[in-house]
Amino acid sequence: MSYKVGIIGSGVAGMASAIRLATAGHQVEVFEANAYPGGKLSEIRLGSYRFDAGPSLLTLPALIDELFELAGEDPAHHFTYQKLEVNCEYFYPDGVKISAHADHEKLIEEIIRNTAERPENVRKALAKSRLLYDHLSELFMFSSLQDPKTFISRSAFKAYKKLHQLGFFQSMNGANASTFDDPRITQMFNRYATYNGSSPYKTPATMNIIPHLEMSLGAYFPSGGMHNITLALYELAKRVGVTFHFEQPVEQIIIEKNRVKGLMTGGLQLNFDRLVSNMDIVNSYRKLMPDIKAPKFLLNQPKSSSALIFYWGVGKKFPQFGLHNILFSGDYKGEFEHIFQQGSISQDPTVYINITSKYQPSDAPEYGENWFTMINVPNNQGQNWDHLIAEARKNILYKISSTLGEDLAPLIEGEEILDPRTIESKTSSAMGALYGNSSNNLFAAFLRHANKSRRVQGLYFCGGSVHPGGGIPMSLSSAKLVAKYFR
């Protein structure tokens, strides 16, 4: 049966849903409030500098390739990428630098040369991350936790046999601190909690599944930068017949007798058989369905962290930096206490710097580099952000300049800032949280909204704020789950 489907929002999950549904024979229209597709995965240009505005790391690119294959196209003709040989450059306050090679033996050699860590501990951690992925990815990434059949599936029984090894009752930091001898390597593995906006001191050790995605399955750089994911999916969606409506925000989801009737945009009602919301789940209910009884318990869960990003055109090249760089805080636990307990920013934040011109020289002038400079910050709770941003900028510049042995400030030729307020306004993310609910408790995976509404027939949800969670792979997985419900 073919349906007329409306999709609210053209983020990665919205476009992936549109492609999957259109290739299945449905008539699909996408409504986007902005003048461009992609949601958080957009770009910024400052003179001769180009920046990927949102997510900066690609893992599981096969999920993107799959969309082209569904349309009968060769992905390599439209979207290409390369695997990184060094996933990240790590800089510690004591002057130690570690290049995180994709090759495990090179990584281990780098770690034991620079720290007091034992190689068997690193191998143990990598093996544990693989075990978690092998036993939990099918359940938590590619299955619906709201479907009872999920828990009597072959994948579920496979996981039950290893339940005592899956880290449900220990924190990520607890597991890592008991695995490693050197606290610097604990910190390296703890940082993966930030990939879904959580604290390693609170999120369960099951989240040690994340390192496997990057350190074993691989990190990739798309030709043209991360924004090329948006462009490739947008063009694919149009080729398979999807219609896009830009600068056309949806004002209301029309519901009659607990069933989707259509949507309201520009004061006009447009009828659809089914709707998919790629809008943040909190705003989906509170802005588009204010009269529907909302699942308050889920919506009121603590939200993930947000980000403060400085897009800097830097008028000099720094060979000591790579594509991905981390300058660690000297007080990692204190940094997360500031974010989640105090709603503030540490004076010594961990700084992430993404420089795509290392791989895409056209992203910066020949003499310079494009720096996407980010720290993790609390979501928007009404703080004095102007003051916090000014202080953070000063502290970030000091940290980077100390690491490089050179004053960075005079080299900045252009600057744009993205903070929790602008993330909230540009992407309709509640409180500017990057990943919806945080994963700072044992039951976090079960406290995300389902991809299919139980309250309204014909209504579905995708994107980082619903199951299975945030990040590009998770958003693409949510689109896959939505499409399964249409069969």
Coordinates of all heavy atoms in Angstrom, one line a residue, residues 55-139:
P55 N 28.1 18.0 13.3 CA 28.9 16.8 13.5 C 30.1 16.7 12.6 O 30.1 17.1 11.5 CB 27.9 15.6 13.1 CG 26.6 16.2 13.3 CD 26.7 17.6 12.9
S56 N 31.2 16.3 13.2 CA 32.5 16.4 12.5 C 33.2 15.0 12.3 O 34.3 15.0 11.8 CB 33.5 17.3 13.3 OG 33.6 16.9 14.6
L57 N 32.5 14.0 12.8 CA 33.1 12.6 12.7 C 32.2 11.7 12.0 O 31.0 11.6 12.3 CB 33.5 12.1 14.1 CG 34.0 10.7 14.1 CD1 35.5 10.7 13.6 CD2 34.0 10.1 15.6
L58 N 32.7 10.9 11.1 CA 31.9 9.9 10.4 C 32.3 8.5 10.8 O 33.5 8.1 10.6 CB 32.0 10.1 8.8 CG 31.2 9.0 8.0 CD1 29.7 9.1 8.2 CD2 31.5 9.2 6.5
T59 N 31.3 7.7 11.3 CA 31.5 6.3 11.5 C 30.4 5.6 10.8 O 29.3 6.2 10.5 CB 31.6 5.9 13.0 OG1 30.4 6.4 13.6 CG2 32.8 6.6 13.7
L60 N 30.5 4.3 10.6 CA 29.5 3.4 10.0 C 29.0 4.1 8.7 O 27.8 4.2 8.5 CB 28.3 3.2 10.9 CG 28.6 2.3 12.2 CD1 27.4 2.1 12.9 CD2 29.3 1.0 11.8
P61 N 29.9 4.4 7.7 CA 29.4 5.0 6.5 C 28.6 4.1 5.7 O 27.9 4.5 4.7 CB 30.7 5.4 5.8 CG 31.8 4.4 6.3 CD 31.4 4.3 7.8
A62 N 28.6 2.8 6.0 CA 27.8 1.8 5.2 C 26.3 2.1 5.4 O 25.5 1.8 4.5 CB 28.0 0.4 5.8
L63 N 25.9 2.8 6.5 CA 24.5 3.2 6.6 C 24.1 4.2 5.6 O 22.9 4.3 5.2 CB 24.3 3.7 8.1 CG 24.4 2.7 9.2 CD1 24.3 3.4 10.5 CD2 23.3 1.6 9.0
I64 N 25.1 5.0 5.2 CA 24.8 6.0 4.1 C 24.8 5.3 2.7 O 23.9 5.5 1.9 CB 25.8 7.2 4.1 CG1 25.7 7.9 5.5 CG2 25.6 8.1 3.0 CD1 26.8 8.9 5.7
D65 N 25.8 4.5 2.5 CA 25.9 3.7 1.3 C 24.6 2.9 1.0 O 24.1 2.8 -0.1 CB 27.0 2.7 1.3 CG 28.4 3.4 1.3 OD1 28.5 4.6 0.9 OD2 29.4 2.7 1.6
E66 N 24.0 2.4 2.1 CA 22.8 1.6 2.0 C 21.6 2.4 1.4 O 20.8 1.8 0.6 CB 22.4 1.1 3.4 CG 21.2 0.1 3.4 CD 20.9 -0.4 4.8 OE1 20.7 0.5 5.7 OE2 20.9 -1.6 5.0
L67 N 21.6 3.7 1.6 CA 20.5 4.5 1.1 C 20.6 4.6 -0.4 O 19.6 4.6 -1.1 CB 20.5 5.9 1.7 CG 20.3 5.9 3.2 CD1 20.5 7.3 3.8 CD2 18.9 5.5 3.6
F68 N 21.8 4.7 -0.9 CA 22.0 4.8 -2.4 C 21.7 3.4 -3.0 O 21.1 3.3 -4.1 CB 23.5 5.1 -2.7 CG 23.8 6.6 -2.4 CD1 24.3 6.9 -1.2 CD2 23.5 7.6 -3.4 CE1 24.6 8.3 -0.9 CE2 23.8 8.9 -3.1 CZ 24.3 9.3 -1.9
E69 N 22.1 2.3 -2.3 CA 21.8 1.0 -2.8 C 20.3 0.7 -2.9 O 19.8 0.1 -3.8 CB 22.5 0.0 -2.0 CG 24.0 0.0 -2.1 CD 24.8 -0.6 -1.0 OE1 24.1 -1.1 0.0 OE2 26.0 -0.6 -1.0
L70 N 19.5 1.2 -1.9 CA 18.1 1.1 -1.9 C 17.5 1.7 -3.2 O 16.5 1.3 -3.7 CB 17.5 1.7 -0.7 CG 17.6 1.0 0.6 CD1 17.1 1.8 1.8 CD2 16.8 -0.3 0.5
A71 N 18.1 2.8 -3.7 CA 17.7 3.5 -4.8 C 18.2 2.9 -6.1 O 18.0 3.5 -7.2 CB 18.0 5.0 -4.7
G72 N 19.0 1.8 -6.0 CA 19.6 1.2 -7.2 C 20.8 1.9 -7.7 O 21.1 1.8 -8.9
E73 N 21.4 2.7 -6.9 CA 22.6 3.5 -7.3 C 23.9 3.0 -6.7 O 23.8 2.4 -5.6 CB 22.4 5.0 -7.0 CG 21.2 5.6 -7.7 CD 21.1 7.1 -7.4 OE1 21.9 7.7 -6.7 OE2 20.1 7.7 -7.9
D74 N 25.0 3.2 -7.4 CA 26.3 2.9 -6.8 C 26.7 4.1 -5.9 O 26.9 5.2 -6.4 CB 27.3 2.7 -8.0 CG 28.7 2.3 -7.5 OD1 28.9 2.4 -6.3 OD2 29.5 1.8 -8.3
P75 N 26.9 3.8 -4.6 CA 27.2 4.9 -3.7 C 28.5 5.7 -4.2 O 28.6 6.9 -4.0 CB 27.4 4.2 -2.4 CG 26.7 3.0 -2.5 CD 26.7 2.6 -3.9
A76 N 29.5 4.9 -4.7 CA 30.7 5.5 -5.0 C 30.6 6.6 -6.1 O 31.5 7.4 -6.3 CB 31.7 4.4 -5.5
H77 N 29.5 6.6 -6.9 CA 29.3 7.6 -7.9 C 28.8 8.9 -7.3 O 28.8 9.9 -8.0 CB 28.3 7.1 -9.0 CG 28.8 5.9 -9.8 ND1 28.0 5.1 -10.6 CD2 30.1 5.4 -9.9 CE1 28.7 4.2 -11.2 NE2 30.0 4.4 -10.8
H78 N 28.4 8.9 -6.1 CA 27.8 10.1 -5.5 C 28.3 10.5 -4.2 O 28.2 11.7 -3.8 CB 26.3 9.8 -5.3 CG 25.6 9.4 -6.6 ND1 25.2 10.3 -7.5 CD2 25.2 8.2 -7.0 CE1 24.6 9.7 -8.5 NE2 24.6 8.4 -8.2
F79 N 29.0 9.5 -3.4 CA 29.4 9.9 -2.1 C 30.7 9.0 -1.8 O 30.6 7.8 -1.8 CB 28.3 9.6 -1.1 CG 28.7 9.9 0.4 CD1 28.9 11.2 0.8 CD2 28.9 8.8 1.3 CE1 29.3 11.5 2.1 CE2 29.3 9.1 2.6 CZ 29.5 10.4 3.0
T80 N 31.8 9.7 -1.6 CA 33.0 8.9 -1.3 C 33.6 9.4 0.0 O 33.4 10.5 0.5 CB 34.0 9.1 -2.5 OG1 34.3 10.5 -2.6 CG2 33.5 8.6 -3.8
Y81 N 34.5 8.6 0.5 CA 35.1 8.9 1.8 C 36.4 8.0 2.0 O 36.6 7.1 1.2 CB 34.2 8.6 3.0 CG 33.5 7.2 2.9 CD1 34.1 6.1 3.3 CD2 32.2 7.1 2.3 CE1 33.4 4.8 3.2 CE2 31.6 5.9 2.1 CZ 32.2 4.8 2.6 OH 31.6 3.5 2.5
Q82 N 37.2 8.4 2.9 CA 38.5 7.7 3.1 C 38.6 7.4 4.6 O 38.2 8.2 5.5 CB 39.7 8.5 2.6 CG 39.9 9.8 3.3 CD 41.1 10.5 2.7 OE1 41.0 11.5 2.1 NE2 42.3 10.0 3.0
K83 N 39.2 6.2 4.9 CA 39.4 5.8 6.3 C 40.6 6.5 6.8 O 41.6 6.6 6.1 CB 39.6 4.3 6.4 CG 39.6 3.8 7.8 CD 39.7 2.3 7.9 CE 39.7 1.8 9.3 NZ 39.7 0.3 9.4
L84 N 40.5 7.0 8.1 CA 41.6 7.8 8.7 C 42.7 6.8 9.2 O 42.3 5.7 9.8 CB 41.1 8.6 9.8 CG 40.1 9.7 9.5 CD1 39.8 10.5 10.8 CD2 40.5 10.6 8.4
E85 N 43.9 7.1 9.0 CA 45.0 6.3 9.6 C 45.3 6.7 11.0 O 45.7 5.9 11.8 CB 46.3 6.5 8.7 CG 46.2 5.9 7.3 CD 47.5 6.0 6.6 OE1 48.5 6.4 7.2 OE2 47.5 5.6 5.4
V86 N 45.1 8.0 11.3 CA 45.1 8.4 12.7 C 43.8 9.0 13.1 O 43.3 10.0 12.4 CB 46.2 9.5 12.9 CG1 46.2 10.0 14.3 CG2 47.6 8.9 12.6
N87 N 43.1 8.4 14.0 CA 41.7 8.9 14.4 C 41.7 10.2 15.1 O 40.8 11.0 14.9 CB 41.0 7.8 15.2 CG 40.8 6.6 14.4 OD1 40.6 6.6 13.2 ND2 40.7 5.4 15.2
C88 N 42.7 10.4 16.0 CA 42.7 11.7 16.8 C 44.1 11.9 17.3 O 44.9 10.9 17.6 CB 41.7 11.5 17.9 SG 41.4 13.1 18.8
E89 N 44.5 13.2 17.5 CA 45.7 13.5 18.2 C 45.3 14.0 19.6 O 44.5 14.9 19.8 CB 46.4 14.7 17.5 CG 46.8 14.3 16.0 CD 48.0 13.4 15.9 OE1 48.6 13.0 17.0 OE2 48.3 13.0 14.8
Y90 N 45.9 13.4 20.6 CA 45.5 13.7 22.0 C 46.7 14.5 22.7 O 47.8 14.0 22.6 CB 45.3 12.4 22.8 CG 44.0 11.7 22.4 CD1 44.1 10.6 21.6 CD2 42.8 12.1 22.8 CE1 42.9 9.9 21.2 CE2 41.6 11.5 22.5 CZ 41.7 10.4 21.6 OH 40.6 9.7 21.3
F91 N 46.4 15.6 23.3 CA 47.3 16.4 24.0 C 46.9 16.5 25.5 O 45.8 16.8 25.8 CB 47.4 17.8 23.4 CG 47.8 17.8 22.0 CD1 46.8 17.6 21.0 CD2 49.1 18.2 21.6 CE1 47.2 17.6 19.6 CE2 49.4 18.2 20.3 CZ 48.5 17.9 19.3
Y92 N 47.9 16.1 26.4 CA 47.6 16.1 27.8 C 48.3 17.3 28.5 O 49.3 17.9 28.0 CB 48.1 14.8 28.4 CG 47.3 13.6 28.0 CD1 47.6 12.9 26.8 CD2 46.2 13.2 28.7 CE1 46.9 11.8 26.4 CE2 45.5 12.1 28.3 CZ 45.8 11.4 27.2 OH 45.1 10.3 26.8
P93 N 47.8 17.7 29.6 CA 48.4 18.9 30.3 C 49.8 18.8 30.7 O 50.5 19.8 30.8 CB 47.5 19.1 31.6 CG 46.2 18.4 31.2 CD 46.6 17.3 30.3
D94 N 50.3 17.5 30.8 CA 51.7 17.3 31.2 C 52.7 17.3 30.0 O 53.9 17.0 30.2 CB 51.9 16.0 32.0 CG 51.4 14.8 31.2 OD1 51.1 14.9 30.1 OD2 51.5 13.7 31.8
G95 N 52.1 17.6 28.8 CA 53.0 17.7 27.6 C 53.0 16.4 26.8 O 53.5 16.4 25.7
V96 N 52.4 15.3 27.3 CA 52.3 14.0 26.6 C 51.4 14.2 25.4 O 50.3 14.8 25.5 CB 51.9 12.9 27.5 CG1 51.5 11.6 26.6 CG2 53.0 12.5 28.5
K97 N 51.8 13.7 24.2 CA 50.9 13.6 23.0 C 50.8 12.2 22.6 O 51.9 11.5 22.5 CB 51.5 14.5 21.9 CG 50.7 14.5 20.6 CD 51.4 15.2 19.5 CE 50.6 15.0 18.2 NZ 51.3 15.6 17.0
I98 N 49.6 11.8 22.2 CA 49.4 10.4 21.7 C 48.6 10.5 20.4 O 47.6 11.1 20.3 CB 48.6 9.6 22.7 CG1 49.4 9.3 24.0 CG2 48.2 8.2 22.1 CD1 48.7 8.6 25.1
S99 N 49.2 9.9 19.4 CA 48.5 9.8 18.1 C 47.7 8.5 18.1 O 48.3 7.4 18.2 CB 49.5 9.8 16.9 OG 50.2 11.0 16.9
A100 N 46.4 8.6 18.0 CA 45.5 7.4 18.1 C 45.4 6.8 16.7 O 44.5 7.1 15.9 CB 44.2 7.7 18.6
H101 N 46.4 5.9 16.4 CA 46.4 5.2 15.1 C 45.2 4.3 15.0 O 44.8 3.6 16.0 CB 47.7 4.4 15.0 CG 48.9 5.2 14.9 ND1 49.4 5.8 13.7 CD2 49.7 5.7 15.9 CE1 50.5 6.5 13.9 NE2 50.7 6.5 15.2
A102 N 44.7 4.1 13.8 CA 43.6 3.2 13.5 C 44.1 1.8 13.6 O 43.4 0.9 14.1 CB 43.0 3.4 12.1
D103 N 45.4 1.5 13.3 CA 46.0 0.2 13.4 C 46.2 0.0 14.9 O 46.9 0.7 15.6 CB 47.3 0.2 12.7 CG 48.0 -1.1 12.7 OD1 48.5 -1.5 13.8 OD2 48.1 -1.8 11.7
H104 N 45.6 -1.1 15.4 CA 45.7 -1.4 16.9 C 47.1 -1.5 17.4 O 47.4 -1.1 18.5 CB 44.8 -2.6 17.2 CG 43.4 -2.3 17.2 ND1 42.4 -3.3 17.5 CD2 42.7 -1.2 17.0 CE1 41.2 -2.8 17.4 NE2 41.3 -1.5 17.1
E105 N 47.9 -2.2 16.7 CA 49.3 -2.4 17.1 C 50.1 -1.1 17.2 O 50.9 -0.9 18.1 CB 50.0 -3.5 16.2 CG 49.5 -4.9 16.4 CD 49.4 -5.3 17.9 OE1 50.4 -5.2 18.6 OE2 48.3 -5.8 18.3
K106 N 49.9 -0.3 16.2 CA 50.5 1.1 16.2 C 50.0 1.9 17.4 O 50.7 2.7 18.0 CB 50.3 1.8 14.9 CG 51.1 1.2 13.7 CD 50.8 2.0 12.4 CE 51.6 1.5 11.3 NZ 51.4 2.2 10.0
L107 N 48.7 1.8 17.6 CA 48.1 2.5 18.7 C 48.7 2.1 20.1 O 49.1 2.9 20.9 CB 46.6 2.3 18.8 CG 45.8 2.8 20.0 CD1 45.9 4.3 20.1 CD2 44.4 2.3 20.0
I108 N 48.8 0.8 20.2 CA 49.4 0.2 21.5 C 50.8 0.6 21.6 O 51.3 1.0 22.7 CB 49.2 -1.3 21.5 CG1 47.7 -1.7 21.6 CG2 50.0 -1.9 22.7 CD1 47.4 -3.1 21.4
E109 N 51.6 0.6 20.6 CA 53.0 1.0 20.6 C 53.1 2.5 21.0 O 54.0 2.8 21.8 CB 53.6 0.8 19.2 CG 55.1 1.1 19.1 CD 55.6 0.9 17.7 OE1 55.1 0.1 17.0 OE2 56.6 1.6 17.4
E110 N 52.2 3.3 20.5 CA 52.2 4.7 20.8 C 51.9 5.0 22.3 O 52.5 5.8 22.9 CB 51.2 5.4 19.9 CG 51.0 6.9 20.2 CD 52.0 7.8 19.4 OE1 52.9 7.2 18.7 OE2 52.0 9.0 19.5
I111 N 50.9 4.2 22.8 CA 50.5 4.4 24.2 C 51.6 3.9 25.1 O 51.9 4.6 26.1 CB 49.2 3.6 24.4 CG1 48.0 4.3 23.8 CG2 49.0 3.4 25.9 CD1 46.7 3.5 23.8
I112 N 52.2 2.8 24.9 CA 53.2 2.3 25.8 C 54.5 3.1 25.8 O 55.3 3.2 26.7 CB 53.5 0.8 25.6 CG1 54.1 0.5 24.2 CG2 52.3 0.0 25.9 CD1 54.5 -1.0 24.0
R113 N 54.8 3.7 24.6 CA 55.9 4.6 24.5 C 55.8 5.9 25.2 O 56.8 6.5 25.7 CB 56.2 4.9 23.0 CG 57.5 5.7 22.8 CD 57.9 5.8 21.3 NE 56.9 6.5 20.5 CZ 56.1 6.0 19.6 NH1 56.3 4.7 19.3 NH2 55.3 6.7 18.9
N114 N 54.6 6.4 25.4 CA 54.3 7.7 26.0 C 53.7 7.6 27.4 O 53.6 8.7 28.1 CB 53.4 8.5 25.1 CG 54.1 8.9 23.8 OD1 54.9 9.8 23.8 ND2 53.7 8.3 22.7
T115 N 53.3 6.5 27.9 CA 52.6 6.4 29.2 C 53.1 5.1 29.9 O 53.9 4.3 29.4 CB 51.1 6.3 29.0 OG1 50.7 5.0 28.5 CG2 50.6 7.4 28.1
A116 N 52.6 4.9 31.1 CA 53.0 3.7 31.9 C 52.0 2.6 31.7 O 52.0 1.6 32.5 CB 53.0 4.1 33.4
E117 N 51.1 2.7 30.6 CA 50.1 1.7 30.4 C 50.7 0.4 29.9 O 51.7 0.4 29.2 CB 49.1 2.2 29.4 CG 47.8 1.4 29.4 CD 47.2 1.3 30.8 OE1 46.7 2.4 31.3 OE2 47.3 0.2 31.4
R118 N 50.1 -0.7 30.3 CA 50.5 -2.1 29.8 C 49.7 -2.4 28.5 O 48.5 -2.2 28.5 CB 50.2 -3.1 30.9 CG 51.2 -3.0 32.1 CD 50.8 -4.1 33.1 NE 49.5 -3.8 33.7 CZ 48.9 -4.7 34.4 NH1 49.3 -5.9 34.6 NH2 47.7 -4.4 35.0
P119 N 50.4 -3.0 27.5 CA 49.7 -3.3 26.3 C 48.5 -4.2 26.5 O 47.5 -4.1 25.8 CB 50.8 -3.9 25.4 CG 51.9 -4.3 26.4 CD 51.8 -3.4 27.5
E120 N 48.6 -5.2 27.4 CA 47.5 -6.1 27.6 C 46.2 -5.4 28.1 O 45.1 -5.9 27.8 CB 47.8 -7.2 28.6 CG 48.3 -6.8 29.9 CD 49.8 -6.6 30.1 OE1 50.4 -6.3 29.1 OE2 50.3 -6.8 31.2
N121 N 46.3 -4.3 28.8 CA 45.2 -3.6 29.2 C 44.4 -2.9 28.0 O 43.2 -2.9 28.0 CB 45.6 -2.5 30.2 CG 46.0 -3.1 31.5 OD1 45.8 -4.3 31.8 ND2 46.7 -2.3 32.3
V122 N 45.2 -2.4 27.1 CA 44.6 -1.7 25.9 C 43.9 -2.8 25.1 O 42.8 -2.6 24.6 CB 45.7 -1.0 25.1 CG1 45.0 -0.3 23.9 CG2 46.4 0.0 25.9
R123 N 44.6 -3.9 24.9 CA 43.9 -5.0 24.1 C 42.7 -5.5 24.8 O 41.7 -5.8 24.1 CB 44.9 -6.2 24.0 CG 46.1 -5.9 23.1 CD 46.9 -7.1 22.7 NE 48.0 -6.8 21.8 CZ 49.2 -6.6 22.2 NH1 49.5 -6.6 23.5 NH2 50.1 -6.2 21.3
K124 N 42.7 -5.5 26.1 CA 41.5 -6.0 26.9 C 40.3 -5.0 26.7 O 39.2 -5.4 26.4 CB 41.8 -6.1 28.4 CG 40.7 -6.4 29.3 CD 41.1 -6.5 30.7 CE 39.9 -6.7 31.6 NZ 40.3 -6.7 33.1
A125 N 40.6 -3.7 26.7 CA 39.6 -2.7 26.5 C 39.0 -2.7 25.1 O 37.8 -2.6 24.9 CB 40.2 -1.3 26.8
L126 N 39.9 -2.9 24.1 CA 39.4 -3.0 22.7 C 38.5 -4.2 22.5 O 37.5 -4.2 21.8 CB 40.6 -3.0 21.8 CG 41.4 -1.7 21.7 CD1 42.7 -1.9 20.9 CD2 40.6 -0.5 21.1
A127 N 39.0 -5.3 23.1 CA 38.2 -6.5 23.0 C 36.8 -6.4 23.7 O 35.8 -6.9 23.2 CB 39.0 -7.7 23.6
K128 N 36.8 -5.7 24.9 CA 35.6 -5.5 25.6 C 34.6 -4.6 24.8 O 33.4 -4.9 24.7 CB 35.9 -4.9 27.0 CG 34.6 -4.7 27.8 CD 34.0 -6.0 28.1 CE 32.8 -5.9 29.1 NZ 33.2 -5.6 30.5
S129 N 35.1 -3.6 24.2 CA 34.3 -2.7 23.3 C 33.7 -3.5 22.2 O 32.5 -3.4 21.8 CB 35.1 -1.6 22.8 OG 34.3 -0.6 22.2
R130 N 34.5 -4.4 21.6 CA 34.0 -5.3 20.5 C 32.9 -6.2 21.0 O 31.9 -6.4 20.4 CB 35.1 -6.1 19.9 CG 34.6 -7.0 18.8 CD 35.7 -7.7 18.0 NE 35.1 -8.5 17.0 CZ 35.8 -9.0 16.0 NH1 37.1 -8.8 15.9 NH2 35.2 -9.8 15.1
L131 N 33.1 -6.8 22.2 CA 32.1 -7.7 22.8 C 30.8 -6.9 23.0 O 29.7 -7.5 22.7 CB 32.6 -8.3 24.1 CG 31.7 -9.2 24.8 CD1 32.5 -10.3 25.5 CD2 30.8 -8.5 25.9
L132 N 30.8 -5.7 23.5 CA 29.6 -4.9 23.7 C 28.9 -4.7 22.4 O 27.7 -4.8 22.3 CB 30.0 -3.6 24.3 CG 30.4 -3.7 25.8 CD1 31.0 -2.3 26.3 CD2 29.3 -4.1 26.7
Y133 N 29.7 -4.3 21.3 CA 29.1 -4.1 20.0 C 28.5 -5.3 19.4 O 27.3 -5.3 18.9 CB 30.2 -3.5 19.1 CG 29.6 -3.1 17.7 CD1 29.0 -1.8 17.6 CD2 29.5 -3.9 16.6 CE1 28.4 -1.4 16.4 CE2 29.0 -3.5 15.4 CZ 28.4 -2.3 15.3 OH 27.9 -1.9 14.1
D134 N 29.2 -6.4 19.5 CA 28.7 -7.7 19.0 C 27.4 -8.1 19.7 O 26.5 -8.8 19.0 CB 29.7 -8.8 19.1 CG 30.9 -8.6 18.2 OD1 30.8 -7.8 17.2 OD2 31.9 -9.3 18.4
H135 N 27.2 -7.8 20.9 CA 26.1 -8.3 21.7 C 24.9 -7.3 21.9 O 23.8 -7.7 22.2 CB 26.5 -8.8 23.1 CG 27.3 -10.1 23.0 ND1 28.6 -10.2 22.6 CD2 26.9 -11.4 23.2 CE1 29.0 -11.5 22.6 NE2 28.0 -12.2 23.0
L136 N 25.2 -6.0 21.7 CA 24.2 -5.0 22.0 C 23.8 -4.1 20.8 O 22.8 -3.5 20.8 CB 24.7 -4.1 23.1 CG 24.9 -4.7 24.5 CD1 25.5 -3.7 25.4 CD2 23.6 -5.3 25.0
S137 N 24.6 -4.1 19.7 CA 24.3 -3.2 18.6 C 23.0 -3.5 18.0 O 22.2 -2.6 17.6 CB 25.5 -3.1 17.6 OG 25.7 -4.4 17.0
E138 N 22.8 -4.8 17.7 CA 21.5 -5.2 17.0 C 20.3 -4.8 17.9 O 19.3 -4.3 17.4 CB 21.5 -6.7 16.7 CG 20.3 -7.1 16.0 CD 20.1 -6.5 14.6 OE1 21.2 -6.2 14.0 OE2 19.0 -6.2 14.2
L139 N 20.5 -5.0 19.2 CA 19.3 -4.6 20.1 C 19.1 -3.1 20.3 O 18.0 -2.7 20.1 CB 19.6 -5.2 21.5 CG 19.4 -6.7 21.7 CD1 19.9 -7.1 23.1 CD2 18.0 -7.1 21.5

